[in-house]
Amino acid sequence: MTTETNTEIARKTNDADTPEVSALNIYVMGKRYLVPAGLTIMAAIEYAGYQFVRSCGCRAGFCGACSTVYRKDDEQKLHFALACQTTVEDGMYLVQIPFVPAAKAKYMIEDLKAEENTILSLYPEIARCVSCNTCTKSCPQDIKVMMYIQNALRGDIAKAAELSFDCIQCGMCAMRCPADIKHYHVAQLARRLRGKYIDTLSKDLKKRVAEVEGGQYDKEIEELVGMSEEQLRGLYNKREIEAKKKKEGE
Amino acid sequence: MKLIDGYPQYMLDSIKKVEDKRMENLKKSIEPLTMEERQAVLTQFHPDFMDSSKRAVKVGVDKGNESYNGIVDLLESPSILDTSEVDLTKIDFDIDLLIIGGGGAGTVAALFALENGVELDKILITTKLRHGDANSMMAQGGIQAADRPEDSPPIHYLDIYGGGHFTNKPELAKAMAMDAPGIIKWHEELGVMYDRHDNGEFQELSGGGTSRNRMHSAKDYTGMELMRNIRDRAKNLDIPVLEFCPIVELLLDDQGIVSGGVAFNIETHEYYVIKAKATIMATGGSGRLHLAGYPTTNHYGATGDGLVMAYHVGANLRDLDTIQIHPTGDIYPDPVIGILSTEKIRGLGAKPINVHGDPFVFPLEPRDVESAAFLKECDKGNGITTPTGMPGIWLDSPMIDIIHGEGTVYEKLAGEVRKFRRFGIDMAKHPILVYPTYHYQNGGVEINEKCETAVPGLFAAGEVTGGVHGKNRLMGNSLLDYNVFGRRAGIYAAEYVKTRKVGKLSLAHIDEYNKAVEEAGLKSGVKAPILLPEYRGKEALARALDIL
């Protein structure tokens, strides 16, 4: 079955004249293909006839499956990008990174404490950071990777968690690091330690869970479950809307 | 084509009109539609109301029931598996619990099955792509749970049930509302970094159709933050996962009880026979079927495989005659087409504007109504055409800083700002272009509150299921759904395997299904499940030879 890409579908929905699209040369692992301008790197590779099995996930910049390394034929610099979030350009030599070999530490979060050396003891290699900043330069999310590693090294778990929050775990940092640090795993530990031990927990939630477990809402909910659609519609239409009430009160 | 601030000149000309009328448009308010007007625009423009979107299926247990054409096409197709090629006497994995799908529901199910007594090496998660490649990872807005003093699970129940147009299964809506606070508590224990006030209470927002502020979020990466934590837990426990190995059909035993499945190594093309005492279907949604021809927000693997496999063993489906289209999918530039721009943008005051610079709809109608109004405006020729010929509606994001003060867009919509900045667009300065996109599969395999399907041995959880949301899902209830029912599936499957004895394995039901398809004279030209969407270029496909 041929389904259509998001791009193709949208193109068909309007009869308006489509302006001529120019063609570009791209090199998929060294092989040249002519593709239309305006596509993502991912869509361009598909246009060329490839069906992704690896290196393709959410297609929206959240999952880190489509890390791409490229160099343009007239450039020295090696670039890092997400194939689903980057427009294809003429002369790109592209390679998709299908997998990142980077073992993570094994731990049960409930057995740990959020102490100065917690991260260092599980990931001692962070002490080898030479502050070259290559990790930061290879991050497609523009996260200050070296900074959060330095924070982790100093034992500032909360700051490491905050700086790394937008990490999509593509692993490009770990692929480039001359000190063999697995940054994105370090960041995962920092965030879990912060969420569990450093941030103040909710008292309202604790109370509500106890109420539910104590059966406080059982009668009320069973009544609702037993109601006819008409009764429920009546109740539904009479609901007080908190957001609206606040607005009126202002 | 020359771009200035990310836009070609002709689009900037339209933006100029939006800018010229911005102050006037801020003052001008469009009234919400009356119930009659809503119905009229829905009937005329929403795909759920179009006869051309759906049809009755001609084969299987739901014969005569209507579903979207793209789903019926798959149900009316023979199986992708040639049963004569599979030797069921050689068992590759002999386990207690097979979990099909490595997204949110599947991973949560594995964690709770383990906690409830299934041995670690008797659990197996199989997944088509990587562990965690799922719509669960992509949800932005948040997760609902009634935990504030002003709120309660019964109030949440009423919101769920009314939001579903009173078509939900009551016992499932009840499970959602009552389990929700405990789920958030579990997340706290895992270490999820929810957005909180200084005193530790959650920052809770309102969502479309909710009567209390109960949306818990983690910036605009809520789904990613939850999935990262849950997956990290599973990895630390060494829960066995078989990646790039989708299940292609379920196995029955001689009693007609589901007893595992046949996995297909999508890289080496070999198959594995997996014998299991219980099976949990957690394959997620079907956005990549592009139902009714819509672009989608869904991940690459969302091809409705679970619906097909469950149907082949006789499980009934429900509510697949409705889908959720979201009004503000991106439509420009091309790389972001179909991706969601969060409802929060309108929540903060940005208004939808047409090509002439005029507002035409109340900005916060329910998702289905707002979408239909956008489609109507484009149909009238009042959309803005992109350089690749697609219509869209301006969402005037610069209004937000005028209303709330400079810097609000950068602060409150950091993820969205990053997305557009990649393409040279500053959404605080210029409006963004949007068009409706297929977001969520409302229905699916019918379950009960124990996540049991109509077929013994088969459980299901998450977006693949039907009944939880009825014919419409509320914002913030999909993340909750996979947690609540993933957990329940794990717990009840763990109980089930204790007494289960598996008989002789069989794929005869597939042969019978294929025969029924043939006898009904159905010729879809497809084999199902499809596993991956076909996005290869047409020119390349036309010259492809089947040699290797």
Side-chain angles (χ1 to χ4, degrees):
Chain A
M1 180 161 72
T2 302
T3 42
E4 289 165 312
T5 62
N6 278 345
T7 315
E8 284 169 340
I9 283 163
R11 278 178 186 172
K12 281 201 321 195
T13 54
N14 197 299
D15 296 326
D17 287 339
T18 306
E20 279 297 310
V21 180
S22 56
L24 310 172
N25 280 313
I26 60 164
Y27 301 84
V28 180
M29 289 177 283
K31 286 163 81 179
R32 186 175 70 90
Y33 294 94
L34 203 60
V35 300
L39 301 179
T40 58
I41 292 172
M42 181 174 282
I45 293 173
E46 288 174 329
Y47 177 90
Y50 291 78
Q51 183 173 39
F52 284 106
V53 171
R54 294 210 176 233
S55 299
C56 179
C58 77
R59 304 178 76 109
F62 289 101
C63 80
C66 65
S67 335
T68 301
V69 176
Y70 69 89
R71 192 174 254 137
K72 287 171 50 180
D73 47 14
D74 56 351
E75 275 186 358
Q76 296 288 337
K77 188 177 160 53
L78 191 65
H79 296 270
F80 301 86
L82 299 177
C84 76
Q85 297 287 295
T86 310
T87 310
V88 74
E89 291 172 41
D90 196 42
M92 277 181 168
Y93 278 78
L94 299 159
V95 60
Q96 316 305 115
I97 308 298
F99 179 76
V100 174
K104 76 171 228 76
K106 294 280 167 66
Y107 48 82
M108 286 291 103
I109 199 79
E110 56 272 34
D111 299 337
L112 301 179
K113 286 178 185 158
E115 290 170 344
E116 207 167 300
N117 66 348
T118 307
I119 295 179
L120 189 62
S121 64
L122 282 161
Y123 291 104
E125 66 272 25
I126 61 173
R128 297 208 299 257
C129 174
V130 294
S131 304
C132 68
N133 212 31
T134 308
C135 49
T136 301
K137 286 183 203 155
S138 55
C139 177
Q141 290 284 86
D142 297 328
I143 290 168
K144 290 174 180 160
V145 185
M146 188 194 78
M147 287 294 285
Y148 81 64
I149 290 297
Q150 289 295 328
N151 280 294
L153 190 55
R154 281 198 297 272
D156 190 345
I157 296 169
K159 191 71 182 170
E162 180 197 317
L163 288 178
S164 70
F165 191 83
D166 295 0
C167 173
I168 55 173
Q169 308 188 322
C170 70
M172 283 303 95
C173 45
M175 290 289 264
R176 291 281 282 167
C177 180
D180 296 329
I181 295 168
K182 274 73 76 180
H183 316 65
Y184 65 116
H185 292 324
V186 173
Q188 177 69 72
L189 174 60
R191 289 190 301 271
R192 290 194 67 187
L193 286 170
R194 174 170 168 168
K196 186 170 176 67
Y197 296 112
I198 299 175
D199 288 348
T200 310
L201 300 186
S202 165
K203 292 190 187 70
D204 287 347
L205 176 70
K206 198 175 167 197
K207 184 160 174 272
R208 179 56 43 85
V209 170
E211 287 171 359
V212 171
E213 283 170 358
Q216 189 171 320
Y217 298 102
D218 289 358
K219 188 166 166 280
E220 197 182 340
I221 201 116
E222 284 311 326
E223 276 171 17
L224 287 171
V225 168
M227 276 185 195
S228 69
E229 186 182 321
E230 202 189 332
Q231 285 172 303
L232 280 165
R233 276 184 189 277
L235 284 179
Y236 185 76
N237 293 334
K238 278 188 285 190
R239 288 175 311 156
E240 266 185 28
I241 311 291
E242 184 180 0
K244 209 166 132 192
K245 212 168 117 189
K246 275 205 178 129
K247 224 173 197 173
E248 283 162 2
E250 271 168 12
Chain B
M1 186 175 42
K2 191 169 179 288
L3 300 180
I4 306 153
D5 292 340
Y7 288 111
Q9 188 56 50
Y10 82 93
M11 290 178 84
L12 285 173
D13 293 344
S14 176
I15 288 178
K16 181 77 173 40
K17 291 179 192 167
V18 177
E19 287 171 346
D20 288 347
K21 295 184 187 175
R22 185 170 289 144
M23 295 316 290
E24 179 193 334
N25 287 341
L26 270 167
K27 284 179 214 139
K28 189 161 36 179
S29 62
I30 302 239
E31 285 300 305
L33 298 176
T34 63
M35 293 312 273
E36 291 74 26
E37 288 166 336
R38 276 186 182 183
Q39 205 53 40
V41 71
L42 282 174
T43 312
Q44 212 183 338
F45 290 97
H46 196 289
D48 282 0
F49 293 83
M50 289 176 193
D51 291 340
S52 59
S53 302
K54 41 198 176 175
R55 67 176 193 272
V57 61
K58 294 198 182 89
V59 68
V61 287
D62 290 340
K63 201 164 161 179
N65 289 356
E66 276 198 345
S67 290
Y68 263 79
N69 285 324
I71 289 168
V72 176
D73 288 344
L74 298 185
L75 300 182
E76 292 184 347
S77 302
S79 172
I80 199 165
L81 182 65
D82 180 349
T83 57
S84 69
E85 294 188 324
V86 180
D87 179 1
L88 292 179
T89 62
K90 295 198 178 89
I91 310 290
D92 297 288
F93 296 88
D94 192 347
I95 54 172
D96 286 352
L97 179 59
L98 168 64
I99 298 171
I100 308 174
T107 312
V108 172
L111 293 175
F112 281 92
L114 183 67
E115 197 176 302
N116 284 270
V118 184
E119 285 172 41
L120 186 65
D121 59 358
K122 291 288 181 184
I123 299 175
L124 181 64
I125 295 177
T126 60
T127 185
K128 181 160 55 186
L129 301 171
R130 301 172 309 163
H131 187 194
D133 281 342
N135 290 341
S136 309
M137 191 66 97
M138 308 169 72
Q140 289 178 266
I143 175 168
Q144 287 197 53
D147 54 15
R148 290 165 58 241
E150 300 86 338
D151 201 1
S152 76
I155 299 175
H156 188 185
Y157 175 88
L158 202 56
D159 284 346
I160 297 170
Y161 208 62
H165 309 310
F166 305 92
T167 56
N168 323 49
K169 286 182 81 168
E171 64 271 35
L172 300 183
K174 173 186 153 188
M176 285 263 284
M178 295 290 276
D179 288 3
I183 289 295
I184 305 292
K185 190 90 195 81
W186 179 57
H187 292 164
E188 273 195 341
E189 287 159 11
L190 288 176
V192 171
M193 277 174 59
Y194 278 116
D195 295 336
R196 296 171 189 271
H197 297 289
D198 290 342
N199 65 1
E201 297 306 334
F202 300 106
Q203 294 180 21
E204 299 188 34
L205 302 169
S206 69
T210 63
S211 65
R212 294 291 184 279
N213 300 350
R214 69 169 80 90
M215 195 72 62
H216 302 61
S217 58
K219 292 173 72 173
D220 50 1
Y221 287 111
T222 314
M224 182 168 95
E225 170 62 355
L226 292 181
M227 192 70 226
R228 285 189 305 209
N229 270 270
I230 290 161
R231 184 177 58 188
D232 193 54
R233 181 74 170 177
K235 285 187 173 174
N236 283 324
L237 288 162
D238 276 323
I239 289 176
V241 180
L242 210 50
E243 291 186 325
F244 297 95
C245 288
I247 299 292
V248 290
E249 288 293 1
L250 296 171
L251 293 165
L252 293 178
D253 73 355
D254 42 14
Q255 305 293 310
I257 301 173
V258 172
S259 305
V262 178
F264 172 68
N265 184 327
I266 207 164
E267 297 181 303
T268 66
H269 293 195
E270 64 189 314
Y271 70 87
Y272 308 117
V273 176
I274 302 173
K275 179 182 170 189
K277 291 179 182 171
T279 302
I280 298 174
M281 187 66 79
T283 49
S286 58
R288 293 285 155 189
L289 299 180
H290 296 291
L291 301 179
Y294 277 87
T296 185
T297 59
N298 285 193
H299 84 110
Y300 185 48
T303 51
D305 304 350
L307 302 175
V308 175
M309 290 187 277
Y311 198 70
H312 285 173
V313 296
N316 65 303
L317 312 174
R318 53 170 288 167
D319 299 325
L320 289 168
D321 55 342
T322 65
I323 58 172
Q324 182 166 85
I325 54 171
H326 196 294
T328 57
D330 300 320
I331 200 72
Y332 179 86
D334 276 19
V336 294
I337 290 169
I339 296 176
L340 200 64
S341 270
T342 175
E343 209 156 304
K344 204 172 174 183
I345 302 171
R346 276 174 296 141
L348 287 164
K351 290 183 181 179
I353 306 285
N354 69 17
V355 70
H356 307 299
D358 297 318
F360 57 93
V361 64
F362 178 67
L364 284 167
E365 297 283 2
R367 283 180 180 174
D368 50 356
V369 177
E370 191 81 10
S371 295
F374 284 17
L375 297 172
K376 182 180 174 185
E377 196 67 9
C378 291
D379 189 66
K380 277 159 67 178
N382 290 338
I384 298 88
T385 307
T386 70
T388 43
M390 307 167 249
I393 296 292
W394 291 122
L395 188 53
D396 197 10
S397 42
M399 284 182 166
I400 295 170
D401 280 2
I402 299 175
I403 299 168
H404 301 282
E406 206 170 322
T408 310
V409 171
Y410 295 153
E411 187 196 334
K412 305 263 186 197
L413 298 165
E416 297 293 351
V417 168
R418 167 185 282 129
K419 176 177 67 183
F420 287 106
R421 192 186 284 142
R422 282 183 166 128
F423 305 101
I425 295 169
D426 180 352
M427 66 183 284
K429 186 176 162 197
H430 289 314
I432 56 173
L433 202 65
V434 295
Y435 187 81
T437 182
Y438 174 22
H439 190 48
Y440 193 79
Q441 173 186 290
N442 291 323
V445 183
E446 180 163 355
I447 55 167
N448 63 15
E449 71 277 17
K450 291 181 172 181
C451 296
E452 293 164 331
T453 67
V455 184
L458 182 64
F459 298 76
E463 192 172 347
V464 72
T465 68
V468 178
H469 310 288
K471 293 192 187 293
N472 179 50
R473 176 180 66 79
L474 283 189
M475 181 186 180
N477 272 345
S478 58
L479 290 177
L480 180 59
D481 173 347
Y482 91 63
N483 277 281
V484 165
F485 293 102
R487 173 180 168 272
R488 283 174 173 249
I491 292 171
Y492 291 112
E495 192 179 307
Y496 179 82
V497 301
K498 284 176 192 161
T499 53
R500 172 78 204 278
K501 297 274 182 291
V502 179
K504 191 170 177 290
L505 298 180
S506 168
L507 279 167
H509 56 288
I510 302 300
D511 299 331
E512 281 162 30
Y513 195 91
N514 289 343
K515 203 172 149 211
V517 168
E518 197 186 327
E519 280 174 4
L522 301 168
K523 291 189 174 62
S524 67
V526 184
K527 286 178 178 179
I530 62 166
L531 305 180
L532 291 175
E534 178 58 84
Y535 289 156
R536 282 176 285 183
K538 290 193 175 54
E539 286 170 40
L541 267 180
R543 303 179 67 83
L545 300 177
D546 192 11
I547 286 182
L548 282 177

